[in-house]
């Protein structure tokens, strides 16, 4: 069953109902390969990509099961969409209210007409994306292998005096040499006191003896992301930071072991939070424990205090507890894991024990 089959089946599309997809991640998923610009139009009987001359050939190659409708100056995307709706007798058009701006929606409605009813999709494509297919898992396993290998490859390059920016470049170059097609997100390098910033932006700070260095990075392969974090020590860390590291490692390991289909996201997050609090670091773990990963780096559901969703086999989710001490530093350890019926499998395979360089 194709991705479009799964979506149309879930939505029980009638003969006079159509979908229009604008979100590039959903377009890639539903076409199973097209990554250019434009929009996707779906009915129970038709699958079409509406795009301009720059992408028509790419669309035909990437999505051979789709009709490719080319726009031009007199027939922009919304007008081509309106033509297809009239041709198919569409009376209900479902659209991505979470993605379109108000202006974009008004332009769409002006082109298609007031006689059609407009119904939000309510993130239906994202819902079917939560469970990864075997083919998606193979691709994500490759992306995770690249990040794991890049971590080991960059360790000998880390030295006193290099800047966070220089380390970022070394790490990203390693990923590209190992087969990454793109970065999954902007690489985080947080050294020394900057380690207390969960989303620190790499800067000109130089690495110093005794620093803890947090590296949060990911590769993209075939449009799918990987996500991992490791914290290493450049020389002997302080006793306090050793305790922080061991606490984070214990929290990460126990929560990864707790992953399984049927488990509640909130409860797994609480497992990490309660343990970190019990070790004297209450209030120093201020973000969610993890998030699903796929075409987008942050997908649902999430391991967080506010998410009460149930994990399902086939979800790919991160487990990334951290402790952040302002003026001192921080530690975060993250694996991306495949949820299974009776447990989980880490797709991230790099070692987690403290590395002292």
């Amino acid at each position: 069953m194709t991705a479009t089959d799964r979506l149309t089946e879930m939505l029980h599309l009638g003969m006079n109902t159509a979908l229009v997809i604008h979100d590039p991640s959903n377009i890639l998923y539903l076409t199973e390969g097209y990554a250019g610009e434009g929009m996707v139009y779906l009915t129970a009987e038709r699958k079409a990509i509406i795009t301009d001359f720059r992408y028509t050939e790419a669309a035909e190659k990437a999505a051979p099961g789709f009709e490719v409708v080319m726009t031009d100056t007199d027939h922009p995307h919304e007008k081509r969409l309106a033509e297809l709706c009239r041709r198919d007798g569409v009376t209900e058009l479902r659209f991505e209210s979470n993605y379109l701006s108000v202006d974009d929606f008004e332009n769409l409605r002006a082109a298609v007409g007031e006689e059609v009813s407009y119904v939000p999709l309510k993130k239906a494509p994202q819902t079917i994306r939560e469970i990864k297919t075997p083919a998606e898992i193979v691709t994500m396993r490759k992306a995770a292998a690249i990040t794991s290998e890049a971590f080991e490859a960059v360790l000998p390059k880390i030295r006193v005096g290099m800047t966070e920016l220089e380390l970022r470049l070394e790490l990203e170059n390693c990923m590209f040499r190992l087969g990454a097609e793109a970065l999954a997100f902007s690489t985080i390098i947080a050294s020394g006191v900057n380690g207390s910033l969960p989303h620190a932006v790499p800067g000109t700070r130089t690495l110093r003896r005794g620093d803890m260095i947090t590296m949060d990075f990911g590769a993209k392969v075939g449009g799918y992301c990987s996500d991992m974090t490791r914290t290493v020590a450049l020389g002997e860390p302080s006793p306090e930071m050793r305790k922080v590291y061991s606490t984070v490692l214990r929290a990460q390991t126990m929560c990864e072991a707790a992953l399984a289909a049927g488990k509640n996201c909130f409860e797994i997050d609480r497992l990490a939070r309660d343990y970190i609090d019990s070790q004297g670091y209450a209030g120093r773990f201020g973000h969610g424990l993890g998030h699903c990963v796929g075409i987008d780096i942050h997908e649902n559901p999430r391991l967080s205090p506010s998410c009460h969703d149930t994990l399902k086999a086939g979800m790919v989710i991160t487990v990334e507890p951290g402790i952040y001490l302002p003026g001192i530093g921080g530690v975060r350890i993250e694996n991306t894991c495949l949820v299974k019926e009776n447990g989980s499998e880490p797709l991230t395979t790099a070692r987690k024990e403290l590395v002292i360089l």
Side-chain angles (χ1 to χ4, degrees), residues 314-344:
M315 289 179 172
V316 177
I317 198 162
T318 68
V319 179
E320 49 179 306
I323 294 173
Y324 310 94
L325 306 177
I328 298 174
V331 171
R332 183 166 64 255
I333 303 170
E334 173 188 23
N335 274 0
T336 297
C337 303
L338 171 63
V339 178
K340 297 187 172 183
E341 289 293 347
N342 298 307
S344 70

Side-chain angles (χ1 to χ4, degrees), residues 214-281:
T214 297
M215 299 174 281
D216 187 345
F217 55 103
K220 263 196 174 184
V221 175
Y224 286 79
C225 300
S226 60
D227 191 0
M228 71 171 281
T229 306
R230 291 293 185 268
T231 302
V232 300
L234 184 55
E236 184 63 32
S238 68
E240 174 70 3
M241 293 311 294
R242 272 192 172 273
K243 180 188 175 186
V244 168
Y245 193 95
S246 64
T247 301
V248 173
L249 178 59
R250 173 63 179 154
Q252 199 284 330
T253 301
M254 73 166 72
C255 291
E256 186 175 307
L259 291 178
K263 295 290 187 71
N264 187 282
C265 291
F266 166 82
E267 291 174 351
I268 295 176
D269 176 272
R270 186 173 60 187
L271 183 66
R273 211 163 297 280
D274 287 352
Y275 177 71
I276 288 172
D277 289 354
S278 74
Q279 299 303 299
Y281 299 107

Side-chain angles (χ1 to χ4, degrees), residues 143 146-147 172 175-176 179-185 218-226:
I146 287 171
T147 54
E172 291 175 351
M175 287 192 284
F176 283 117
E181 297 165 6
L183 300 178
F185 55 92
K220 263 196 174 184
V221 175
Y224 286 79
C225 300
S226 60

Side-chain angles (χ1 to χ4, degrees), residues 68-326:
V68 177
V69 178
M70 188 173 77
T71 64
D72 56 40
T73 303
D74 297 324
H75 301 85
H77 291 78
E78 291 79 8
K79 190 167 184 178
R80 289 298 193 202
L81 173 65
E83 292 170 354
L84 289 172
C85 287
R86 285 193 293 270
R87 189 183 308 170
D88 294 334
V90 171
T91 57
E92 178 182 290
L93 183 63
R94 301 190 187 183
F95 70 102
E96 296 169 301
S97 58
N98 65 294
Y99 185 84
L100 286 185
S101 68
V102 173
D103 284 349
D104 287 339
F105 173 69
E106 291 298 336
N107 290 336
L108 184 154
R109 184 165 62 179
V112 176
E114 296 291 345
E115 65 277 9
V116 173
S117 61
Y118 298 88
V119 178
L121 269 170
K122 297 182 178 178
K123 296 188 177 181
Q126 285 90 332
T127 298
I128 62 169
R129 283 168 48 192
E130 290 179 2
I131 308 298
K132 272 49 181 182
T133 65
E136 289 178 294
I137 293 168
V138 168
T139 301
M140 295 189 71
R141 199 182 297 279
K142 291 178 183 176
I146 287 171
T147 54
S148 295
E149 193 172 343
F151 169 71
E152 295 293 344
V154 82
L155 292 179
K157 302 176 184 294
I158 298 174
R159 66 186 187 281
V160 172
M162 77 185 307
T163 66
E164 292 174 337
L165 280 169
E166 288 172 331
L167 177 52
R168 172 186 178 176
L169 289 173
E170 289 283 1
L171 183 53
E172 291 175 351
N173 285 337
C174 282
M175 287 192 284
F176 283 117
R177 282 194 295 268
L178 291 166
E181 297 165 6
L183 300 178
F185 55 92
S186 295
T187 300
I188 295 169
I189 304 291
S191 64
V193 294
N194 290 342
S196 67
L197 304 170
H199 277 191
V201 177
T204 57
R205 183 187 185 277
T206 57
L207 307 186
R208 303 164 195 174
R209 185 68 58 187
D211 277 352
M212 300 293 280
I213 305 165
T214 297
M215 299 174 281
D216 187 345
F217 55 103
K220 263 196 174 184
V221 175
Y224 286 79
C225 300
S226 60
D227 191 0
M228 71 171 281
T229 306
R230 291 293 185 268
T231 302
V232 300
L234 184 55
E236 184 63 32
S238 68
E240 174 70 3
M241 293 311 294
R242 272 192 172 273
K243 180 188 175 186
V244 168
Y245 193 95
S246 64
T247 301
V248 173
L249 178 59
R250 173 63 179 154
Q252 199 284 330
T253 301
M254 73 166 72
C255 291
E256 186 175 307
L259 291 178
K263 295 290 187 71
N264 187 282
C265 291
F266 166 82
E267 291 174 351
I268 295 176
D269 176 272
R270 186 173 60 187
L271 183 66
R273 211 163 297 280
D274 287 352
Y275 177 71
I276 288 172
D277 289 354
S278 74
Q279 299 303 299
Y281 299 107
R284 303 311 336 146
F285 171 35
H287 56 76
L289 178 65
H291 54 87
C292 278
V293 182
I295 294 172
D296 292 327
I297 190 61
H298 295 117
E299 297 185 352
N300 290 325
R302 301 177 184 234
L303 303 177
S304 80
S306 61
C307 182
H308 292 264
D309 292 355
T310 299
L311 293 174
K312 299 176 183 177
M315 289 179 172
V316 177
I317 198 162
T318 68
V319 179
E320 49 179 306
I323 294 173
Y324 310 94
L325 306 177

